[in-house]
Amino acid sequence: MTDYAGLAAAMPAPHNEASHGCEGLAKAIYPDVTETINEICARYPKRNLPAGAMVTRFSPSPTGFLHIGNVFGALTDERLAHQSGGVFILRIEDTDSKREVPGGVGLIIDNLKEFGISFDECATEGGDVGAYGPYRQSRRAAIYQAFAKEYVRRGLAYPCFCSEETLASMRDAQKAAKANPGYHGGYAACRGLTPAEAEAKVREGLPFVIRFRSCGDPSRTAEVRDLIKGTLRMPENDQDFVMLKSDGTPTYHFGHVIDDTLMGTTHVVRGDEWLATLPYHIQMFDAFGLRRPEYAHTATVDKRDGASKRKISKRKDPEAKLTYYLEAGFPIPSITEYVMTLLNSDYEEWRRANPGSPHTDFPFALSKMGVSGPLFDLGKLRDVSKDVIAGMGAGELTDLTLAWAARYDPKFHALASGDPAYLSRILSIGRGGPKPRKDLAAYSEVGPYAVYFYDEAYVPAPDPDYPACLDSGTLKALLTGFLEGYESSDDQAAWFGKVKEAGARLGFAPDTGSYKATPESYLGSVSDVSMALRLAVTGRKNSPDLWEVMRVMGAGRVARRISMAMEIRSAKL
């Protein structure tokens, strides 16, 4: 990290003659800026961190919308910082007021907190947490102006007075000449103004932006190391890009260079879309004598679209939006687990070897991130989530489901919240042991899974598909005979013995082996008897272990269900 003492004095000498006479121009542009950059830097001391500690930042815009790619990036930043004993910062890039939504900062913090991502330093709705703020760019205007003034004073930047019409004409001329587009070289009309000429225009009150004065030559190669993609070789930048807009707000190019310098950011993780402007940023750091952070450019999160793949889109894909996962009721650990599989190629192997360990024990590394875009697969997320939910205790799953339902499914919450212990018993069926059931991928699936346990919501099928060997008389005799001997306190062996006995009295084989050997000797198999009971009690062909289902329901509810089934069957005669 840069030693800030004497930063301005340590800056390299101006790279051209443009700095001569720029003192007056800098004062004309920023007459009220009196704080020096050394004085500013004194407010941002070098961080006292252990060797190898990383300082990372997540810097969204407060638009009120976060997508799955944000979790991908934020989790990368969080793991790098906290795994190394460093600092994770939330910095809000809110200089575009037109895109900001009321409460956008709070939405960002709340969403990320719900996804288990917390910050050491951050902006909040109530103020800053941390000593290196402000953490909202809109509150750092004086800092940007002080640095911009120094850039201008040293001839590293200049005011540009070109109107939109002038810039449009420039683009037309470049297109006609088949020249590289942009504000550069002979097309940079204001670059050739003398400091006195520029100062006169400033004092005249003409609107202007501040542009960086590039010394790059695209025929030369700029080389930079990317922590994911390796060594990158790119043409040097020759664009005189905008640093500060006409309203005084910074562009990303300028803002992140100043903010990352002062906040001591050591590693910048960002998307591939910033690769094209990486030479801009290298130039700005180097021109001002600032130490560059390490860069890591991540590929976009993609998804299948027919035979091809494309970037996941917030306009086309509902699963792009973070609120989709909250509304669907995916447990946060499921999202984390799945995103970790996208981030590092060996995470799944590690998880198999460490099934009970938190994901924070995994040795995350940028070198294990893929160069191409990871493929987001909602089906695989569901599989991961089934594993996560299967590993929960029934009480934990009950509490989390009811908390979700209170927010997103008031109907099921009203049904189940009156007796959480009953829901816990329902969810305990098949839970635990070496091979727990994996029926559920989200809290939203608990209601449809468990609703038949509740008499208030149970709607029996009007014509259940009972086995063909069971006519109405035989079905009634079978159900009545079973119910006469049923005790909810029976263990599984005793219960199944009574199932077989009820069937045997009517001519059903006591086991499938006997039935397969001489099917003509029997009315049906014990499996037909079990299916009849399952349909009568649950209304479903598929359910968890029927003995456990009936034990949880209790003798009274089981008796009512069987009586109801016989009434429906009789009504069909």
Side-chain angles (χ1 to χ4, degrees):
M1 181 173 167
T2 302
D3 182 356
Y4 296 128
L7 176 61
M11 285 171 54
H15 52 253
N16 54 39
E17 296 300 315
S19 62
H20 295 168
C22 286
E23 188 81 36
L25 175 59
K27 289 180 179 179
I29 296 173
Y30 299 109
D32 299 325
V33 175
T34 58
E35 190 174 32
T36 68
I37 60 173
N38 278 338
E39 290 170 338
I40 291 172
C41 290
R43 302 203 305 267
Y44 297 86
K46 184 177 180 180
R47 293 180 182 272
N48 184 20
L49 296 172
M54 300 182 187
V55 179
T56 63
R57 46 77 168 174
F58 178 62
S59 49
S61 298
T63 60
F65 177 92
L66 287 178
H67 54 80
I68 193 65
N70 292 131
V71 174
F72 184 86
L75 191 56
T76 301
D77 283 316
E78 185 275 332
R79 285 291 75 225
L80 291 174
H82 291 158
Q83 185 175 271
S84 65
V87 178
F88 183 33
I89 301 168
L90 172 65
R91 187 173 73 219
I92 304 297
E93 298 187 350
D94 60 345
T95 56
D96 187 351
S97 59
K98 294 179 181 178
R99 297 180 63 219
E100 183 170 354
V101 300
V105 174
L107 286 171
I108 290 171
I109 294 171
D110 290 345
N111 276 175
L112 291 172
K113 192 172 184 179
E114 285 187 280
F115 278 80
I117 298 173
S118 59
F119 301 90
D120 303 303
E121 299 176 7
C122 62
T124 73
E125 292 287 12
D128 288 333
V129 175
Y132 289 77
Y135 296 97
R136 296 182 64 153
Q137 286 189 332
S138 61
R139 298 174 184 173
R140 298 173 65 83
I143 293 172
Y144 302 129
Q145 290 174 9
F147 274 85
K149 183 176 183 178
E150 187 64 27
Y151 268 69
V152 172
R153 189 180 75 82
R154 288 181 166 265
L156 300 171
Y158 61 91
C160 171
F161 305 91
C162 291
S163 65
E164 285 299 321
E165 292 77 15
T166 300
L167 294 174
S169 296
M170 177 198 74
R171 288 190 287 269
D172 289 341
Q174 289 171 334
K175 186 175 181 180
K178 297 183 179 180
N180 289 334
Y183 203 86
H184 61 90
Y187 294 102
C190 293
R191 180 185 176 110
L193 293 175
T194 66
E197 289 171 334
E199 183 178 343
K201 289 180 178 290
V202 170
R203 296 191 182 282
E204 188 180 338
L206 296 178
F208 60 88
V209 298
I210 299 296
R211 290 185 181 273
F212 178 73
R213 188 186 297 274
S214 174
C215 61
D217 181 346
S219 67
R220 297 196 300 256
T221 298
E223 187 173 292
V224 63
R225 175 173 167 262
D226 185 275
L227 295 177
I228 295 175
K229 301 180 183 302
T231 300
L232 301 175
R233 295 174 178 83
M234 312 172 75
E236 284 185 354
N237 169 63
D238 66 342
Q239 300 282 338
D240 288 1
F241 53 84
V242 175
M243 292 167 43
L244 287 174
K245 293 174 274 189
S246 58
D247 62 359
T249 58
T251 60
Y252 170 80
H253 310 306
F254 184 53
H256 100 275
V257 167
I258 302 307
D259 294 343
D260 286 337
T261 295
L262 295 178
M263 295 180 185
T265 304
T266 63
H267 292 72
V268 173
V269 181
R270 60 187 187 181
D272 276 350
E273 66 269 20
W274 293 109
L275 269 175
T277 53
L278 181 57
Y280 290 17
H281 309 144
I282 293 171
Q283 275 192 350
M284 292 200 78
F285 278 106
D286 293 351
F288 221 23
L290 306 176
R291 181 178 175 183
R292 307 176 197 166
E294 298 268 17
Y295 282 98
H297 290 86
T298 60
T300 59
V301 178
D302 296 334
K303 69 170 290 184
R304 288 284 181 199
D305 191 353
S308 60
K309 67 177 185 175
R310 59 169 172 79
K311 179 181 178 180
I312 195 167
S313 166
K314 63 183 181 183
R315 287 181 293 274
K316 297 180 180 179
D317 308 308
E319 67 269 29
K321 198 171 184 178
L322 289 195
T323 51
Y324 168 86
Y325 302 96
L326 300 175
E327 292 167 4
F330 283 101
I332 299 307
S334 301
I335 307 296
T336 302
E337 281 290 302
Y338 180 59
V339 172
M340 288 297 293
T341 69
L342 300 179
L343 288 174
N344 268 193
S345 55
D346 60 340
Y347 183 78
E348 290 180 84
E349 180 183 352
W350 176 87
R351 171 54 72 203
R352 287 191 291 271
N354 301 273
S357 299
H359 76 276
T360 51
D361 286 354
F362 172 71
F364 176 79
L366 287 171
S367 61
K368 297 173 185 174
M369 293 185 73
V371 175
S372 60
L375 191 63
F376 187 86
D377 183 345
L378 196 56
K380 185 172 181 181
L381 168 60
R382 288 183 56 80
D383 289 340
V384 169
S385 195
K386 287 179 180 180
D387 287 336
V388 170
I389 289 180
M392 293 180 181
E396 178 187 10
L397 181 55
T398 296
D399 291 343
L400 291 170
T401 298
L402 290 176
W404 173 86
R407 185 174 177 183
Y408 296 107
D409 189 352
K411 186 175 180 180
F412 180 69
H413 186 264
L415 180 68
S417 60
D419 190 355
Y422 182 52
L423 178 58
S424 183
R425 291 196 298 276
I426 295 169
L427 295 176
S428 69
I429 297 173
R431 191 163 297 278
K435 292 184 178 180
R437 290 183 65 89
K438 297 182 179 180
D439 304 271
L440 305 171
Y443 306 133
S444 58
E445 297 173 4
V446 172
Y449 168 84
V451 69
Y452 66 85
F453 282 87
Y454 294 90
D455 290 345
E456 309 93 307
Y458 177 66
V459 179
D463 190 14
D465 187 16
Y466 288 108
C469 58
L470 285 164
D471 58 28
S472 295
T474 305
L475 175 65
K476 185 174 182 180
L478 174 64
L479 296 177
T480 301
F482 171 80
L483 197 56
E484 288 174 351
Y486 175 65
E487 296 285 346
S488 59
S489 59
D490 287 339
D491 63 21
Q492 192 164 25
W495 172 86
F496 191 55
K498 291 181 178 180
V499 171
K500 292 191 289 185
E501 288 172 10
R505 286 194 294 268
L506 297 171
F508 286 84
D511 56 72
T512 55
S514 299
Y515 180 75
K516 287 181 178 179
T518 56
E520 68 279 1
S521 302
Y522 302 99
L523 185 61
S525 169
V526 70
S527 61
D528 296 315
V529 177
S530 295
M531 179 57 70
L533 280 171
R534 190 180 305 277
L535 285 166
V537 173
T538 71
R540 304 181 178 193
K541 283 190 171 183
N542 296 303
S543 75
D545 182 85
L546 187 57
W547 168 72
E548 289 198 73
V549 169
M550 294 171 69
R551 183 174 59 86
V552 168
M553 283 186 171
R557 187 176 276 109
V558 168
R560 288 195 296 274
R561 294 292 176 86
I562 290 177
S563 297
M564 189 184 304
M566 289 191 293
E567 289 172 7
I568 291 173
R569 193 68 170 182
S570 297
K572 288 290 180 180
L573 296 177

